[in-house]
Amino acid sequence: MPRPCHLEKFTSYERSVPRALKGAGAAKVLAGQRRILIKPNLVNASPPPVTLPVEAVEALVGAIRGCSDAEIVVAEGAGDLHLETPAIFRILGYDRLAAAYGLELVDLNEAPLKELKDPSCTVYPSMFLPEILLESYVISFAVLKAHSLADVTLSMKNMIGCAPPSHYQQGGHWKKSAFHSRIHESIFELNRYRKPDLAIIDASVGLAEHHLGGAPCDPPARKIVAGFDPVAVDAAGARLLGSDWRQVGHIRLADGVLGEAEVRGG
């Protein structure tokens, strides 16, 4: 039965990613999909753990292929000001993965868009997002990292990579810089428009201080977190970083709206 959140001990991606999916009860859900979009965290061309190791996505693809005939797409819209997403795919080995497994790589920064509207959103009463997000089963595969502005960057924060620079680059040195203003509310509202259907966090190591480098978690977190509730998954990720999710604005805003940060009433 599908579960909101499962923590699996990390031994290797090959072993632990399939076990995490099994623990989350994902097989039946994935078996019913026609197209599955994997959204890794490839913010720039830095090596892991700043970015998601290609081996992690390879393990996920293998696990999906074991239970589903769905088309699999790997899609990202990198934030680096000077490198385009296809170059980052090549640098980090995702082009070789795509060739080996017959996957499509999609640059979300250049994908066709659809305008969505929700007048109850105060920061973004309308938002432009790639059409493919609305036509696919979306897996957000994030990396466990602290963040200088958002406190943590986990499965919900990872969805900012989906936002097109044509509408959300406003100066600065990042292609999604508009989200820096009122970042917690922005993450929450983006996920109101399109939250992940399945959330996974690579917490095999983790970055304890900053999302673009710095000290790794010591000791390493050594977990893979997976579940159908991104709020519960991100609350678990925050705990692995030593943070109280109640102190993380976007998780607090999402709790009770987009999911449940923790089990209540029992």
Side-chain angles (χ1 to χ4, degrees):
M1 185 171 183
R3 298 174 187 172
C5 184
H6 172 79
L7 277 73
E8 181 69 32
K9 181 180 178 181
F10 177 81
T11 55
S12 69
Y13 293 115
E14 183 180 12
R15 294 181 179 181
S16 300
V17 169
R19 289 176 179 172
L21 292 184
K22 182 178 180 180
K28 279 190 176 181
V29 176
L30 295 174
Q33 306 307 318
R34 296 179 60 188
R35 178 167 59 194
I36 295 172
L37 185 152
I38 300 170
K39 164 61 177 77
N41 185 329
L42 307 179
V43 62
N44 60 20
S46 297
V50 172
T51 53
L52 184 69
V54 69
E55 294 83 3
V57 175
E58 182 176 15
L60 177 57
V61 169
I64 294 171
R65 289 269 172 88
C67 65
S68 175
D69 294 327
E71 173 192 1
I72 302 174
V73 174
V74 178
E76 173 63 298
D80 191 290
L81 186 63
H82 303 292
L83 285 175
E84 300 301 326
T85 306
I88 291 173
F89 280 144
R90 288 193 298 273
I91 292 167
L92 296 177
Y94 279 77
D95 57 339
R96 295 188 294 275
L97 174 72
Y101 286 86
L103 310 176
E104 182 183 2
L105 297 178
V106 173
D107 180 1
L108 295 175
N109 286 345
E110 301 295 335
L113 303 176
K114 182 172 183 178
E115 183 179 12
L116 306 175
K117 296 184 179 182
D118 183 347
S120 67
C121 290
T122 59
V123 181
Y124 293 108
S126 71
M127 181 167 284
F128 289 86
L129 289 175
E131 290 179 352
I132 193 171
L133 292 178
L134 312 175
E135 301 166 350
S136 306
Y137 185 88
V138 175
I139 300 177
S140 175
F141 201 162
V143 181
L144 183 78
K145 298 187 290 186
H147 193 274
S148 55
L149 296 176
D151 300 314
V152 298
T153 173
L154 303 168
S155 74
M156 289 190 288
K157 169 70 170 59
N158 186 40
M159 295 299 286
I160 287 183
C162 301
S166 58
H167 291 81
Y168 302 106
Q169 181 178 353
Q170 296 179 359
H173 299 283
W174 190 52
K175 287 179 179 171
K176 327 286 175 158
S177 53
F179 288 91
H180 281 168
S181 176
R182 300 178 65 180
I183 192 165
H184 290 288
E185 293 93 335
S186 297
I187 295 168
F188 170 56
E189 291 190 1
L190 169 60
N191 279 266
R192 287 182 68 177
Y193 284 107
R194 187 60 171 105
K195 69 178 181 178
D197 298 299
L198 177 63
I200 308 175
I201 300 173
D202 173 14
S204 56
V205 180
L207 286 177
E209 298 175 353
H210 194 260
H211 59 292
L212 298 179
C217 293
D218 185 17
R222 301 199 66 80
K223 294 285 189 296
I224 299 291
V225 188
F228 292 91
D229 183 338
V231 184
V233 168
D234 284 8
R239 286 191 289 270
L240 290 174
L241 287 168
S243 298
D244 182 346
W245 67 262
R246 297 169 187 82
Q247 303 303 314
V248 179
H250 63 274
I251 301 179
R252 187 175 65 251
L253 287 168
D255 180 44
V257 180
L258 301 178
E260 302 289 340
E262 58 188 30
V263 177
R264 292 175 170 82

